[in-house]
């Protein structure tokens, strides 16, 4: 009888261990999961078969690395396409003498290029592809300040790489003839800043409403963003060249500066205008167009309410695995 009891207890313990092992296997997560299992050992290996477990910090680094790589590749292609699409007409420089020459192909190249790159990279990096857009996203509290700075640095470097590839491919006379695809100011500095501010605000607001806001975002967001760039480029080509993207302007300016040192004279306009434009777009969004849960005032049926963005949302990278 005692022996039978021992056998019964042993079988019960074995069954419980098997159930526990099954539960542990069910709790295993993929490489991009964000949950943490307390049974995971310090070296990231579980004790029941060596299956890899993921830590929050590791997941953050994976997501951020993929996002920055996406921005690097995306901006590099965008700037390269934009510079290569600048027309050259028998020695006539459309960037300084006839800005309206070739405006349509330039606008289409930038807008359609941004559309397909946004569609490809939207779920990897959010497809900002523009420091002004990144600033807007940070001010909306969608990514942290640290991640935002990493985005801007990556986009700036990618702009230089893309413009340098254009310089490496085109013959020297053609490259000089199109001024390296760099933007040139055709109006006064004040007018230039105002133009870039208004055009950039339209592009950034389109991105926020088409990609970020839960009530207005759409799967057709990349198309809307591309169209906004086409239209705004056509509107600004005769004044500032229609940049709306500091990385695009900076990269082409660096590449062509060996042939045109005056390119830096009014370059600040292509940073100041987009920064003001992004701030303007965020103001309109957060105070007027945002969904009730994101709006700072007029929060739906609860009447006039004031809300403040949590400090953690703008000072740390989000851990949910979502950049936008």
């Amino acid at each position: 009888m005692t022996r039978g009891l021992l056998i019964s207890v042993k079988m019960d313990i074995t069954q419980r261990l098997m159930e526990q092992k099954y539960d542990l296997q069910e709790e295993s997560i993929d490489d991009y999961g964000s949950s943490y299992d307390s049974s995971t050992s310090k070296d990231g290996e579980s004790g029941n078969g060596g299956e890899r477990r993921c830590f929050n910090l590791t997941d953050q680094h994976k997501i951020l690395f993929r996002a920055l790589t996406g921005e690097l590749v995306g901006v590099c292609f965008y700037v390269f396409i934009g510079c290569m699409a600048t027309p050259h007409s028998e020695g006539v420089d459309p960037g300084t003498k006839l800005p309206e020459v070739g405006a349509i192909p330039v606008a289409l190249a930038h807008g359609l290029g941004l559309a397909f790159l946004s569609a490809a990279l939207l779920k990897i990096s959010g497809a900002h592809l523009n420091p002004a857009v990144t600033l807007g996203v940070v001010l909306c509290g969608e990514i942290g300040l640290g991640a935002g700075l990493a985005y801007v640095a990556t986009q700036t470097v990618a702009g230089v790489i893309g413009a340098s590839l254009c310089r490496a491919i085109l013959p020297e006379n053609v490259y000089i003839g199109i001024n390296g695809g760099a933007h040139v100011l055709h109006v006064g500095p004040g007018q230039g800043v105002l133009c870039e501010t208004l055009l950039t605000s339209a592009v950034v607001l389109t991105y926020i409403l088409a990609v970020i806001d839960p009530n207005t975002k759409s799967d057709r967001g990349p198309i809307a963003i591309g169209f906004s760039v086409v239209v705004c480029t056509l509107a600004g080509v005769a004044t500032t060249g229609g940049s709306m993207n500091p990385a695009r302007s900076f990269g082409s300016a660096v590449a062509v500066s060996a042939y045109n040192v005056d390119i830096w004279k009014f370059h600040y306009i292509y940073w100041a205008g987009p920064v003001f434009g992004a701030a303007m777009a965020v103001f309109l969004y957060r105070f007027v167009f945002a969904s009730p849960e994101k709006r700072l005032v007029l929060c739906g049926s609860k009447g006039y309410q004031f809300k403040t963005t949590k400090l953690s949302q703008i000072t740390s990278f989000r851990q949910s695995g979502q950049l936008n």
Side-chain angles (χ1 to χ4, degrees):
M1 180 176 180
T2 304
R3 182 178 179 183
L5 180 62
L6 290 175
I7 293 175
S8 176
V9 170
K10 183 177 179 181
M11 291 179 62
D12 183 64
I13 293 175
T14 302
Q15 183 178 1
R16 289 180 179 274
L17 289 175
M18 291 297 295
E19 290 176 353
Q20 184 178 4
K21 181 178 180 180
Y22 175 78
D23 291 338
L24 287 175
Q25 290 176 346
E26 287 294 320
E27 291 175 0
S28 61
I29 55 178
D30 58 29
D31 286 343
Y32 298 99
S34 59
S35 62
Y36 173 74
D37 187 357
S38 60
S39 66
T40 307
S41 60
K42 292 183 180 181
D43 60 356
E45 300 292 333
S46 64
N48 61 344
E51 186 177 0
R52 181 175 175 80
R53 306 292 182 114
C54 296
F55 298 89
N56 283 331
L57 186 61
T58 302
D59 292 337
Q60 286 182 334
H61 288 168
K62 282 184 179 180
I63 295 168
L64 183 58
F65 175 78
R66 293 179 72 243
L68 294 180
T69 303
E71 289 293 301
L72 180 70
V73 173
V75 174
C76 182
F77 275 119
Y78 177 71
V79 175
F80 173 72
I81 291 170
C83 292
M84 292 290 288
T86 305
H88 179 271
S89 179
E90 296 298 323
V92 176
D93 182 2
T96 57
K97 296 180 181 180
L98 298 174
E100 68 278 4
V101 175
I104 293 178
V106 169
L108 289 176
H110 284 83
L112 296 179
L114 189 61
F116 85 76
L117 290 170
S118 296
L121 299 171
L122 187 61
K123 293 186 178 181
I124 294 178
S125 69
H128 298 183
L129 309 178
N130 185 340
V133 172
T134 298
L135 176 60
V137 174
V138 171
L139 292 178
C140 287
E142 296 299 315
I143 66 172
L145 181 60
L149 292 175
Y151 265 51
V152 172
T154 302
Q155 292 159 355
T156 304
V157 172
V160 175
I161 296 174
S164 299
L165 290 174
C166 176
R167 178 178 174 180
I169 292 173
L170 292 178
E172 185 174 346
N173 64 318
V174 176
Y175 184 78
I176 295 174
I178 65 173
N179 197 35
H183 296 106
V184 179
L185 186 66
H186 307 288
V187 293
Q191 296 168 308
V193 171
L194 179 60
C195 180
E196 285 292 308
T197 298
L198 295 175
L199 295 178
T200 305
S201 65
V203 173
V204 175
L205 187 60
T206 299
Y207 179 92
I208 293 172
L209 293 175
V211 174
I212 292 178
D213 188 81
N215 285 355
T216 60
K217 66 181 180 180
S218 169
D219 293 336
R220 295 183 291 273
I223 299 176
I225 297 168
F227 274 125
S228 71
V229 171
V230 171
V231 173
C232 290
T233 301
L234 289 172
V237 70
T239 53
T240 62
S243 171
M244 304 160 289
N245 189 329
R248 164 70 173 87
S249 297
F250 180 77
S252 56
V254 169
V256 80
S257 59
Y259 304 104
N260 181 10
V261 294
D262 294 332
I263 196 69
W264 300 109
K265 185 175 182 180
F266 297 108
H267 182 71
Y268 67 90
I269 291 171
Y270 299 99
W271 287 87
V275 167
F276 294 151
M280 180 178 175
V282 172
F283 178 85
L284 290 173
Y285 171 71
R286 294 304 295 269
F287 283 88
V288 181
F289 299 124
S291 301
E293 64 272 17
K294 290 181 174 291
R295 204 178 307 151
L296 293 180
V297 296
L298 295 174
C299 300
S301 61
K302 295 183 179 180
Y304 290 86
Q305 296 182 3
F306 291 84
K307 296 166 62 180
T308 57
T309 304
K310 293 181 180 180
L311 183 61
S312 60
Q313 289 182 319
I314 60 176
T315 56
S316 62
F317 188 70
R318 294 180 67 178
Q319 299 184 13
S320 63
Q322 297 291 332
L323 291 173
N324 294 294

